[in-house]
Amino acid sequence: MEHEIFKDLNDAQKHAVRQIDGPLLILAGAGSGKTKTITSRLAYLLEEVGVPPSQTLTLTFTNKAAKEMRERALKMITTTSYPPLLCTFHKFGLLFLKFHIHLLNRDNNFVVIDNDDRKRIIKKINSDIPTPLIGSEISRYKNSLISPTEAYAQAELKNYKQIAKIYEEYEHYLLENNLVDFDDLLALTYKILDENDDLAQETSNKYRYIMIDEYQDTNEIQLKLLQKLCTTHHNICVVGDDDQSIYGWRGAHIRNILEFHQDFQNAQIVKLEKNYRSTQKILNVANALIEHNRSRLGKTLQSTRHEGTDVITIKSDHENEESKKIAAYITELLNSGERASEIAVLYRINALSRSLEEGLNRAGISYRLVGGLRFYDRAEIKDMISYLRVITNHHDNFSIKRIINKPKRGIGKATVEKLELASIRHETSIFSLIDTLSLNELEAIVRKKNAATLKTFVKNIKAVTLIANSSTYDFIDALEAMFTIRDIYANTPDAMEKTANIDEFYGMFRDFVIANPDAGLDEFLNDITLQSEQDEVEGESIYIMSIHASKGLEFKHTFIIGLEEGFLPLLGDGSNIEEERRLGYVSFTRAKDTLTLSHVSSRFYKGRRTDLQKSRFFNEAGLCEGSLKLEQHTAFKKGDLVRHKIFGAGRIIGVSKSGREFKLSINFGGNKREILASFVERL
DNA sequence: ATGATAACAGTTTTT
DNA sequence: CTGTTATCAT
């Protein structure tokens, strides 16, 4: 008798679940039941094999994926009492560092900073080189385990010598303030394991069965970390799809999945090629496209569903016509009863959303733009977080500078500068400086009026800190009462939205306190720094988003706009045609029932109109001229009311095909006529 | 200290 | 055409 775990699995999936010893690569095509396989495998390990949950480790990239897997795995697990460790790479790093960072002579009350914080630190240090470049270079160094000294030594250009210097100062600043950035969560974890062989053995022994999701997105340091975790065994199972590797530009190494068998000897490979999502016609197009890539392991998706309808191509003169047509299609789908949440429009670059949004607005279609600015990246939320940080750690100079003039207290740049200089001279933090100095002494440093303001500010922070330590629940109200944070944005154009976000944050804080009654502010802070909000609300709106943001999602009706040379594929320095092709592949394989591809002859972009060629991906996907479908093919159906310029209003009594066009039989008040679809408009 | 204007750059984004 | 940042008066 087979265990219940295997009930709904196909042969390849079963094989992947049972193969538990030694390295295993599960090459999971789009829509092939990847999550089901990985969660079943985890359940199998715990329930059937009897591995204690504490001996397994499952790592993902996003909190969303971790959450989904946890929920699905827990449903299958009945016999074990405590849950297995299933989290993001970074969360794992955080947990590890909490226990072991003392091996680097650091205190475990460190604070995790995000990229925005990093930018501010760099900006403070640096003078002339553009900040974004420095941030990404530092990140690259850290992910390649290159120290500032090494970076300096190997830099040839003057600029890079300078970047290496900034990198050094940046690291110094982090150390000084006991801060840890996202890269450190992995890099320091690796460093500790690398320098402490005993601990590496111990940790590897602890996690005897390791699974990694989205392996094609791993980078250099993640691979090295995994190799450390596999010091004493080789039970590593990675799941991924080389054809869906679309994050090369942010350091993901597709070679990790392509060369898995070399990094981990005697690796087995299981291909999941049965696709439960899309119709065969959609898969044919996707398969044909991706076959043009050379760097791939190779697989062909096979639909378990029906043949389906042809992939549709829309050609337009310009972006306004494009969005008008897309909107017309969508209106038609909605009118025929399709749920809005089953419809999505995807694009390669966010800039294309504007004309699309206009078209949707004009047609009265409500949409939800996925992605955009994330909750925790919004200025007002960052202000909130800074307040909390200052309260947990009064010496957090970095955060105190952000809030010292929010709401406005008349403390400007000059005053902050004076404070900072004085705090360095006194070898103390800005907070302590204001706190310990007498009013008179402070007045010698800053203006008289400001000295009093600063004294009050510090006094209030101390008062709120007392409340935080006695009752986390009452704290948040006390904070708002004391500092009127909601007033910061009161007189800005989007005050409503900002205050709503702050209220949302307060709500989240209360939820956290209820869920974790014994936790302190610091736990809340480190938790949310690693979190990104995911809108999962399914509403009355269709979805529009970038192709990157669509990865992992599926829609019954999927539209892709901007299929032109220069947009998809996006061309330019640093562009990689194979990765562009994978983006095309990812976008095509989001579609369940219908896939509609749109391209234009010219587009307005960066302030100028440019003539465009249609994307080479049409030909590569086998969609040549002859297979083009004329737009509006199902725009009209029997019973619809339409208007003709000459005959006026009438009702459709029949639809037939005439060459490429659709011919309508229309009853104009008793007068029956055959009219081509393009000569009438819907009423 | 703060608001107004000029100059400028401009895929994709999670933790 | 946009949004962001640097600089300059007030």
Side-chain angles (χ1 to χ4, degrees):
Chain A
M1 226 317 247
E2 248 185 3
H3 193 278
E4 183 155 2
I5 291 168
F6 293 96
K7 203 177 63 193
D8 297 323
L9 300 178
N10 66 37
D11 287 347
Q13 291 171 335
K14 281 179 192 168
H15 185 76
V17 168
R18 283 210 189 88
Q19 182 68 44
I20 59 165
D21 293 314
L24 172 68
L25 164 60
I26 303 176
L27 199 58
S32 65
K34 178 194 75 168
T35 307
K36 189 190 217 171
T37 307
I38 212 172
T39 50
S40 300
R41 194 173 184 277
L42 183 58
Y44 177 75
L45 279 169
L46 304 183
E47 301 270 296
E48 283 277 288
V49 186
V51 177
S54 62
Q55 292 187 7
T56 71
L57 174 64
T58 308
L59 297 178
T60 64
F61 273 85
T62 63
N63 292 300
K64 189 188 172 192
K67 189 175 166 225
E68 192 194 344
M69 279 188 194
R70 195 175 302 123
E71 281 165 6
R72 286 175 66 169
L74 288 182
K75 267 189 207 154
M76 282 188 259
I77 300 165
T78 49
T79 54
T80 42
S81 50
Y82 56 102
L85 184 50
L86 197 169
C87 63
T88 64
F89 268 101
H90 294 264
K91 175 87 182 189
F92 175 76
L94 174 66
L95 292 172
F96 185 88
L97 292 182
K98 278 283 166 190
F99 280 102
H100 304 295
I101 201 168
H102 66 269
L103 291 167
L104 297 172
N105 293 318
R106 291 183 64 167
D107 200 295
N108 78 348
N109 67 1
F110 58 82
V111 167
V112 181
I113 61 163
D114 66 17
N115 286 342
D116 213 63
D117 302 330
R118 161 188 282 182
K119 258 199 248 163
R120 290 156 145 272
I121 297 169
I122 293 170
K123 209 165 168 182
K124 194 183 131 55
I125 300 168
N126 151 68
S127 43
D128 22 63
I129 301 175
T131 315
L133 177 73
I134 301 171
S136 59
E137 284 305 305
I138 290 180
S139 191
R140 193 172 325 190
Y141 289 138
K142 286 198 172 194
N143 281 302
S144 303
L145 298 161
I146 296 169
S147 71
T149 328
E150 288 165 333
Y152 189 83
Q154 63 181 244
E156 284 170 10
L157 295 160
K158 207 176 112 216
N159 268 2
Y160 278 80
K161 292 257 182 222
Q162 207 173 336
I163 289 176
K165 279 283 167 209
I166 296 165
Y167 175 27
E168 187 173 18
E169 279 186 62
Y170 170 78
E171 289 291 271
H172 185 74
Y173 185 96
L174 294 194
L175 214 56
E176 198 90 313
N177 294 278
N178 204 13
L179 303 174
V180 160
D181 67 19
F182 286 140
D183 296 326
D184 285 337
L185 291 174
L186 305 179
L188 297 183
T189 297
Y190 174 77
K191 198 172 174 213
I192 292 170
L193 289 172
D194 192 45
E195 288 172 358
N196 299 275
D197 219 33
D198 294 353
L199 182 60
Q201 303 251 346
E202 190 188 309
T203 310
S204 179
N205 275 327
K206 180 171 162 59
Y207 302 111
R208 286 177 45 229
Y209 291 93
I210 297 171
M211 283 201 266
I212 314 296
D213 186 32
E214 304 282 15
Y215 193 65
Q216 76 284 350
D217 292 337
T218 53
N219 62 20
E220 194 177 342
I221 190 119
Q222 283 156 339
L223 171 61
K224 287 188 138 176
L225 191 55
L226 291 176
Q227 285 174 321
K228 282 288 170 203
L229 294 177
C230 289
T231 309
T232 62
H233 61 78
H234 297 99
N235 301 328
I236 178 168
C237 166
V238 304
V239 189
D241 182 356
D242 50 338
D243 293 333
Q244 292 188 71
S245 162
I246 56 174
Y247 286 106
W249 52 273
R250 73 176 191 210
H253 282 198
I254 193 176
R255 75 150 295 285
N256 286 176
I257 192 164
L258 296 177
E259 316 267 301
F260 180 72
H261 57 281
Q262 283 181 11
D263 296 333
F264 296 92
Q265 296 294 309
N266 302 317
Q268 301 264 339
I269 176 165
V270 178
K271 291 185 187 179
L272 305 184
E273 293 173 292
K274 275 211 171 91
N275 175 296
Y276 296 89
R277 178 185 295 157
S278 315
T279 64
Q280 190 59 52
K281 284 201 173 177
I282 290 168
L283 294 184
N284 288 345
V285 169
N287 284 333
L289 175 68
I290 203 66
E291 286 227 338
H292 289 78
N293 271 5
R294 302 201 61 212
S295 299
R296 66 189 291 256
L297 293 165
K299 64 180 157 17
T300 308
L301 292 181
Q302 200 67 40
S303 177
T304 58
R305 299 183 54 203
H306 53 285
E307 197 59 12
T309 57
D310 284 345
V311 171
I312 299 165
T313 300
I314 303 178
K315 181 183 176 172
S316 314
D317 288 340
H318 46 78
E319 66 278 2
N320 293 334
E321 189 185 320
E322 176 181 56
S323 40
K324 195 174 170 184
K325 285 180 183 171
I326 300 272
Y329 267 97
I330 292 173
T331 303
E332 191 190 305
L333 287 168
L334 293 172
N335 286 343
S336 72
E338 290 291 4
R339 286 177 51 199
S341 59
E342 285 286 2
I343 302 170
V345 188
L346 313 179
Y347 36 80
R348 171 69 232 263
I349 57 173
N350 289 130
L352 296 201
S353 79
R354 187 168 300 274
S355 62
L356 177 67
E357 290 181 65
E358 278 169 18
L360 294 174
N361 283 331
R362 260 199 288 275
I365 299 167
S366 83
Y367 59 86
R368 176 187 299 269
L369 199 154
V370 180
L373 201 52
R374 295 199 317 290
F375 188 70
Y376 293 102
D377 286 340
R378 289 170 201 190
E380 62 274 22
I381 301 305
K382 304 219 78 168
D383 295 340
M384 285 300 324
I385 291 172
S386 294
Y387 263 100
L388 297 201
R389 281 188 183 168
V390 170
I391 287 155
T392 41
N393 174 14
H394 292 170
H395 310 301
D396 187 341
N397 274 0
F398 178 75
S399 299
I400 209 167
K401 278 189 284 176
R402 186 179 175 111
I403 56 164
I404 204 157
N405 199 30
K406 281 178 186 174
K408 287 203 173 82
R409 302 182 178 93
I411 312 292
K413 215 167 68 186
T415 308
V416 172
E417 214 115 283
K418 286 177 198 160
L419 284 171
E420 209 162 20
L421 272 169
S423 71
I424 293 166
R425 232 186 8 254
H426 286 78
E427 291 184 324
T428 180
S429 64
I430 293 177
F431 186 95
S432 305
L433 184 86
I434 302 167
D435 192 30
T436 44
L437 258 46
S438 70
L439 191 61
N440 278 336
E441 287 169 319
L442 197 57
E443 281 170 357
I445 298 167
V446 299
R447 282 190 192 161
K448 200 166 180 184
K449 201 178 133 208
N450 288 340
T453 313
L454 291 168
K455 273 284 182 192
T456 317
F457 177 71
V458 160
K459 195 187 82 199
N460 290 346
I461 290 281
K462 278 164 107 176
V464 179
T465 308
L466 272 176
I467 299 170
N469 292 336
S470 60
S471 161
T472 23
Y473 194 86
D474 295 333
F475 156 75
I476 208 81
D477 294 310
L479 182 74
E480 176 60 42
M482 186 72 92
F483 294 101
T484 59
I485 298 168
R486 292 162 99 260
D487 288 353
I488 299 175
Y489 295 92
N491 295 316
T492 60
D494 30 36
M496 286 277 278
E497 196 194 329
K498 304 254 182 203
T499 28
N501 285 336
I502 291 172
D503 288 338
E504 169 83 20
F505 184 88
Y506 289 155
M508 284 176 38
F509 183 84
R510 291 195 189 93
D511 287 348
F512 179 86
V513 173
I514 292 164
N516 311 278
D518 302 325
L521 275 188
D522 53 334
E523 283 172 69
F524 175 72
L525 283 171
N526 274 342
D527 221 64
I528 63 171
T529 309
L530 290 179
Q531 235 167 75
S532 76
E533 129 259 36
Q534 288 286 344
D535 273 331
E536 296 207 40
V537 206
E538 285 200 5
E540 309 293 293
S541 318
I542 69 152
Y543 291 98
I544 71 173
M545 68 189 89
S546 71
I547 296 174
H548 283 92
S550 77
K551 196 170 145 225
L553 306 176
E554 57 177 30
F555 305 95
K556 203 165 169 185
H557 305 285
T558 305
F559 297 80
I560 298 148
I561 61 170
L563 273 139
E564 299 106 26
E565 288 291 301
F567 283 93
L568 182 57
L570 188 64
L571 306 163
D573 49 80
S575 77
N576 171 342
I577 189 63
E578 296 216 343
E579 184 147 319
E580 295 300 310
R581 203 172 275 119
R582 291 191 288 269
L583 276 159
Y585 179 77
V586 166
S587 68
F588 293 0
T589 52
R590 298 310 97 201
K592 292 199 272 191
D593 286 17
T594 75
L595 174 61
T596 307
L597 309 177
S598 162
H599 68 102
V600 298
S601 311
S602 93
R603 202 176 274 290
F604 196 74
Y605 180 61
K606 285 193 189 173
R608 50 172 26 166
R609 181 158 292 284
T610 337
D611 286 339
L612 297 165
Q613 297 276 301
K614 85 172 184 186
S615 172
R616 70 188 78 178
F617 293 166
F618 281 103
N619 284 326
E620 294 182 357
L623 293 162
C624 41
E625 283 307 329
S627 66
L628 290 193
K629 288 285 164 294
L630 204 80
E631 49 268 34
Q632 312 295 320
H633 69 134
T634 55
F636 300 99
K637 59 180 186 296
K638 209 170 152 180
D640 283 356
L641 276 176
V642 293
R643 190 206 312 277
H644 185 270
K645 271 199 173 139
I646 296 159
F647 303 117
R651 191 178 291 277
I652 298 173
I653 52 176
V655 181
S656 59
K657 214 172 183 176
S658 165
R660 282 189 170 195
E661 263 266 40
F662 280 83
K663 198 166 61 186
L664 309 173
S665 304
I666 305 172
N667 182 0
F668 295 100
N671 181 13
K672 215 173 94 181
R673 287 187 179 269
E674 301 273 298
I675 308 268
L676 284 179
S678 49
F679 290 99
V680 297
E681 60 177 18
R682 190 191 287 277
L683 267 183

PDB file of all heavy atoms in Angstrom, chain A residues 195-214:
ATOM      1  N   GLU A 195      35.781  29.407   9.001  1.00  0.00           N
ATOM      2  CA  GLU A 195      36.876  29.560   9.964  1.00  0.00           C
ATOM      3  C   GLU A 195      36.781  28.581  11.128  1.00  0.00           C
ATOM      4  O   GLU A 195      37.715  28.441  11.901  1.00  0.00           O
ATOM      5  CB  GLU A 195      36.885  31.000  10.514  1.00  0.00           C
ATOM      6  CG  GLU A 195      37.362  32.012   9.484  1.00  0.00           C
ATOM      7  CD  GLU A 195      37.194  33.445   9.954  1.00  0.00           C
ATOM      8  OE1 GLU A 195      36.673  33.643  11.081  1.00  0.00           O
ATOM      9  OE2 GLU A 195      37.562  34.353   9.190  1.00  0.00           O
ATOM     10  N   ASN A 196      35.627  27.947  11.289  1.00  0.00           N
ATOM     11  CA  ASN A 196      35.445  27.052  12.426  1.00  0.00           C
ATOM     12  C   ASN A 196      34.999  25.677  11.941  1.00  0.00           C
ATOM     13  O   ASN A 196      33.808  25.397  11.832  1.00  0.00           O
ATOM     14  CB  ASN A 196      34.406  27.624  13.391  1.00  0.00           C
ATOM     15  CG  ASN A 196      34.844  28.966  13.934  1.00  0.00           C
ATOM     16  OD1 ASN A 196      35.576  29.047  14.909  1.00  0.00           O
ATOM     17  ND2 ASN A 196      34.402  30.028  13.277  1.00  0.00           N
ATOM     18  N   ASP A 197      35.964  24.867  11.663  1.00  0.00           N
ATOM     19  CA  ASP A 197      35.672  23.568  11.079  1.00  0.00           C
ATOM     20  C   ASP A 197      34.762  22.712  11.957  1.00  0.00           C
ATOM     21  O   ASP A 197      33.873  22.030  11.457  1.00  0.00           O
ATOM     22  CB  ASP A 197      36.985  22.836  10.796  1.00  0.00           C
ATOM     23  CG  ASP A 197      36.898  22.097   9.481  1.00  0.00           C
ATOM     24  OD1 ASP A 197      36.203  22.618   8.583  1.00  0.00           O
ATOM     25  OD2 ASP A 197      37.492  21.012   9.374  1.00  0.00           O
ATOM     26  N   ASP A 198      34.985  22.766  13.259  1.00  0.00           N
ATOM     27  CA  ASP A 198      34.152  21.982  14.178  1.00  0.00           C
ATOM     28  C   ASP A 198      32.695  22.369  14.047  1.00  0.00           C
ATOM     29  O   ASP A 198      31.809  21.519  13.981  1.00  0.00           O
ATOM     30  CB  ASP A 198      34.582  22.224  15.637  1.00  0.00           C
ATOM     31  CG  ASP A 198      35.979  21.697  15.892  1.00  0.00           C
ATOM     32  OD1 ASP A 198      36.523  21.043  14.969  1.00  0.00           O
ATOM     33  OD2 ASP A 198      36.512  21.942  16.991  1.00  0.00           O
ATOM     34  N   LEU A 199      32.480  23.661  14.011  1.00  0.00           N
ATOM     35  CA  LEU A 199      31.107  24.152  13.915  1.00  0.00           C
ATOM     36  C   LEU A 199      30.477  23.755  12.580  1.00  0.00           C
ATOM     37  O   LEU A 199      29.301  23.406  12.516  1.00  0.00           O
ATOM     38  CB  LEU A 199      31.078  25.673  14.086  1.00  0.00           C
ATOM     39  CG  LEU A 199      29.692  26.310  14.061  1.00  0.00           C
ATOM     40  CD1 LEU A 199      28.805  25.768  15.182  1.00  0.00           C
ATOM     41  CD2 LEU A 199      29.784  27.823  14.158  1.00  0.00           C
ATOM     42  N   ALA A 200      31.283  23.789  11.505  1.00  0.00           N
ATOM     43  CA  ALA A 200      30.783  23.394  10.195  1.00  0.00           C
ATOM     44  C   ALA A 200      30.331  21.931  10.239  1.00  0.00           C
ATOM     45  O   ALA A 200      29.254  21.582   9.737  1.00  0.00           O
ATOM     46  CB  ALA A 200      31.860  23.594   9.136  1.00  0.00           C
ATOM     47  N   GLN A 201      31.143  21.085  10.858  1.00  0.00           N
ATOM     48  CA  GLN A 201      30.796  19.665  10.992  1.00  0.00           C
ATOM     49  C   GLN A 201      29.512  19.507  11.804  1.00  0.00           C
ATOM     50  O   GLN A 201      28.600  18.776  11.415  1.00  0.00           O
ATOM     51  CB  GLN A 201      31.923  18.928  11.733  1.00  0.00           C
ATOM     52  CG  GLN A 201      33.281  19.048  11.078  1.00  0.00           C
ATOM     53  CD  GLN A 201      33.732  17.744  10.450  1.00  0.00           C
ATOM     54  OE1 GLN A 201      33.153  16.707  10.726  1.00  0.00           O
ATOM     55  NE2 GLN A 201      34.731  17.803   9.608  1.00  0.00           N
ATOM     56  N   GLU A 202      29.494  20.223  12.902  1.00  0.00           N
ATOM     57  CA  GLU A 202      28.352  20.140  13.813  1.00  0.00           C
ATOM     58  C   GLU A 202      27.061  20.581  13.127  1.00  0.00           C
ATOM     59  O   GLU A 202      26.019  19.927  13.220  1.00  0.00           O
ATOM     60  CB  GLU A 202      28.650  21.057  15.009  1.00  0.00           C
ATOM     61  CG  GLU A 202      27.707  20.926  16.180  1.00  0.00           C
ATOM     62  CD  GLU A 202      27.997  22.032  17.205  1.00  0.00           C
ATOM     63  OE1 GLU A 202      29.182  22.183  17.584  1.00  0.00           O
ATOM     64  OE2 GLU A 202      27.053  22.730  17.577  1.00  0.00           O
ATOM     65  N   THR A 203      27.163  21.720  12.394  1.00  0.00           N
ATOM     66  CA  THR A 203      25.985  22.244  11.717  1.00  0.00           C
ATOM     67  C   THR A 203      25.528  21.298  10.613  1.00  0.00           C
ATOM     68  O   THR A 203      24.338  21.052  10.435  1.00  0.00           O
ATOM     69  CB  THR A 203      26.297  23.633  11.118  1.00  0.00           C
ATOM     70  OG1 THR A 203      26.903  24.440  12.123  1.00  0.00           O
ATOM     71  CG2 THR A 203      25.033  24.306  10.633  1.00  0.00           C
ATOM     72  N   SER A 204      26.502  20.769   9.881  1.00  0.00           N
ATOM     73  CA  SER A 204      26.172  19.824   8.819  1.00  0.00           C
ATOM     74  C   SER A 204      25.497  18.574   9.397  1.00  0.00           C
ATOM     75  O   SER A 204      24.527  18.058   8.832  1.00  0.00           O
ATOM     76  CB  SER A 204      27.431  19.443   8.060  1.00  0.00           C
ATOM     77  OG  SER A 204      27.136  18.522   7.044  1.00  0.00           O
ATOM     78  N   ASN A 205      25.999  18.117  10.525  1.00  0.00           N
ATOM     79  CA  ASN A 205      25.396  16.947  11.173  1.00  0.00           C
ATOM     80  C   ASN A 205      23.977  17.229  11.647  1.00  0.00           C
ATOM     81  O   ASN A 205      23.126  16.343  11.673  1.00  0.00           O
ATOM     82  CB  ASN A 205      26.242  16.516  12.374  1.00  0.00           C
ATOM     83  CG  ASN A 205      27.376  15.608  11.945  1.00  0.00           C
ATOM     84  OD1 ASN A 205      27.229  14.836  10.995  1.00  0.00           O
ATOM     85  ND2 ASN A 205      28.506  15.710  12.633  1.00  0.00           N
ATOM     86  N   LYS A 206      23.769  18.462  12.036  1.00  0.00           N
ATOM     87  CA  LYS A 206      22.448  18.841  12.542  1.00  0.00           C
ATOM     88  C   LYS A 206      21.404  18.779  11.428  1.00  0.00           C
ATOM     89  O   LYS A 206      20.305  18.269  11.626  1.00  0.00           O
ATOM     90  CB  LYS A 206      22.518  20.248  13.124  1.00  0.00           C
ATOM     91  CG  LYS A 206      21.209  20.756  13.694  1.00  0.00           C
ATOM     92  CD  LYS A 206      21.448  22.057  14.449  1.00  0.00           C
ATOM     93  CE  LYS A 206      20.175  22.849  14.666  1.00  0.00           C
ATOM     94  NZ  LYS A 206      19.140  22.135  15.410  1.00  0.00           N
ATOM     95  N   TYR A 207      21.777  19.313  10.244  1.00  0.00           N
ATOM     96  CA  TYR A 207      20.829  19.309   9.122  1.00  0.00           C
ATOM     97  C   TYR A 207      21.209  18.223   8.133  1.00  0.00           C
ATOM     98  O   TYR A 207      21.952  18.456   7.189  1.00  0.00           O
ATOM     99  CB  TYR A 207      20.810  20.683   8.453  1.00  0.00           C
ATOM    100  CG  TYR A 207      20.438  21.802   9.399  1.00  0.00           C
ATOM    101  CD1 TYR A 207      21.373  22.752   9.795  1.00  0.00           C
ATOM    102  CD2 TYR A 207      19.142  21.881   9.920  1.00  0.00           C
ATOM    103  CE1 TYR A 207      21.032  23.766  10.669  1.00  0.00           C
ATOM    104  CE2 TYR A 207      18.790  22.887  10.802  1.00  0.00           C
ATOM    105  CZ  TYR A 207      19.742  23.826  11.175  1.00  0.00           C
ATOM    106  OH  TYR A 207      19.402  24.827  12.046  1.00  0.00           O
ATOM    107  N   ARG A 208      20.656  17.048   8.342  1.00  0.00           N
ATOM    108  CA  ARG A 208      21.069  15.907   7.524  1.00  0.00           C
ATOM    109  C   ARG A 208      20.356  15.842   6.179  1.00  0.00           C
ATOM    110  O   ARG A 208      20.784  15.158   5.262  1.00  0.00           O
ATOM    111  CB  ARG A 208      20.874  14.616   8.308  1.00  0.00           C
ATOM    112  CG  ARG A 208      21.941  14.432   9.398  1.00  0.00           C
ATOM    113  CD  ARG A 208      21.699  13.183  10.206  1.00  0.00           C
ATOM    114  NE  ARG A 208      21.384  12.033   9.366  1.00  0.00           N
ATOM    115  CZ  ARG A 208      20.351  11.218   9.587  1.00  0.00           C
ATOM    116  NH1 ARG A 208      19.551  11.424  10.608  1.00  0.00           N
ATOM    117  NH2 ARG A 208      20.130  10.205   8.783  1.00  0.00           N
ATOM    118  N   TYR A 209      19.231  16.551   6.088  1.00  0.00           N
ATOM    119  CA  TYR A 209      18.506  16.580   4.814  1.00  0.00           C
ATOM    120  C   TYR A 209      18.181  18.023   4.445  1.00  0.00           C
ATOM    121  O   TYR A 209      17.462  18.709   5.168  1.00  0.00           O
ATOM    122  CB  TYR A 209      17.227  15.745   4.901  1.00  0.00           C
ATOM    123  CG  TYR A 209      17.539  14.275   5.002  1.00  0.00           C
ATOM    124  CD1 TYR A 209      17.650  13.654   6.246  1.00  0.00           C
ATOM    125  CD2 TYR A 209      17.765  13.522   3.858  1.00  0.00           C
ATOM    126  CE1 TYR A 209      17.974  12.306   6.346  1.00  0.00           C
ATOM    127  CE2 TYR A 209      18.089  12.175   3.940  1.00  0.00           C
ATOM    128  CZ  TYR A 209      18.193  11.572   5.191  1.00  0.00           C
ATOM    129  OH  TYR A 209      18.525  10.245   5.266  1.00  0.00           O
ATOM    130  N   ILE A 210      18.761  18.448   3.338  1.00  0.00           N
ATOM    131  CA  ILE A 210      18.650  19.847   2.942  1.00  0.00           C
ATOM    132  C   ILE A 210      17.935  19.959   1.601  1.00  0.00           C
ATOM    133  O   ILE A 210      18.208  19.184   0.675  1.00  0.00           O
ATOM    134  CB  ILE A 210      20.058  20.486   2.853  1.00  0.00           C
ATOM    135  CG1 ILE A 210      20.700  20.466   4.254  1.00  0.00           C
ATOM    136  CG2 ILE A 210      20.003  21.911   2.316  1.00  0.00           C
ATOM    137  CD1 ILE A 210      22.153  20.870   4.269  1.00  0.00           C
ATOM    138  N   MET A 211      17.012  20.912   1.520  1.00  0.00           N
ATOM    139  CA  MET A 211      16.332  21.174   0.246  1.00  0.00           C
ATOM    140  C   MET A 211      16.409  22.660  -0.072  1.00  0.00           C
ATOM    141  O   MET A 211      16.272  23.504   0.812  1.00  0.00           O
ATOM    142  CB  MET A 211      14.863  20.760   0.335  1.00  0.00           C
ATOM    143  CG  MET A 211      14.643  19.270   0.234  1.00  0.00           C
ATOM    144  SD  MET A 211      12.963  18.915  -0.273  1.00  0.00           S
ATOM    145  CE  MET A 211      12.218  18.705   1.318  1.00  0.00           C
ATOM    146  N   ILE A 212      16.635  22.961  -1.335  1.00  0.00           N
ATOM    147  CA  ILE A 212      16.737  24.347  -1.781  1.00  0.00           C
ATOM    148  C   ILE A 212      15.760  24.595  -2.920  1.00  0.00           C
ATOM    149  O   ILE A 212      15.768  23.878  -3.925  1.00  0.00           O
ATOM    150  CB  ILE A 212      18.157  24.673  -2.300  1.00  0.00           C
ATOM    151  CG1 ILE A 212      19.229  24.137  -1.355  1.00  0.00           C
ATOM    152  CG2 ILE A 212      18.304  26.169  -2.549  1.00  0.00           C
ATOM    153  CD1 ILE A 212      19.215  24.754   0.012  1.00  0.00           C
ATOM    154  N   ASP A 213      14.963  25.632  -2.759  1.00  0.00           N
ATOM    155  CA  ASP A 213      13.983  26.000  -3.776  1.00  0.00           C
ATOM    156  C   ASP A 213      14.604  27.034  -4.722  1.00  0.00           C
ATOM    157  O   ASP A 213      15.504  27.773  -4.323  1.00  0.00           O
ATOM    158  CB  ASP A 213      12.760  26.591  -3.057  1.00  0.00           C
ATOM    159  CG  ASP A 213      11.635  26.880  -4.014  1.00  0.00           C
ATOM    160  OD1 ASP A 213      11.497  26.141  -5.005  1.00  0.00           O
ATOM    161  OD2 ASP A 213      10.885  27.842  -3.769  1.00  0.00           O
ATOM    162  N   GLU A 214      14.124  27.106  -5.946  1.00  0.00           N
ATOM    163  CA  GLU A 214      14.586  28.102  -6.940  1.00  0.00           C
ATOM    164  C   GLU A 214      16.114  28.118  -7.050  1.00  0.00           C
ATOM    165  O   GLU A 214      16.746  29.170  -6.980  1.00  0.00           O
ATOM    166  CB  GLU A 214      14.089  29.514  -6.555  1.00  0.00           C
ATOM    167  CG  GLU A 214      12.600  29.636  -6.392  1.00  0.00           C
ATOM    168  CD  GLU A 214      11.843  29.730  -7.702  1.00  0.00           C
ATOM    169  OE1 GLU A 214      12.428  29.431  -8.764  1.00  0.00           O
ATOM    170  OE2 GLU A 214      10.665  30.096  -7.662  1.00  0.00           O
TER     171      GLU A 214
END
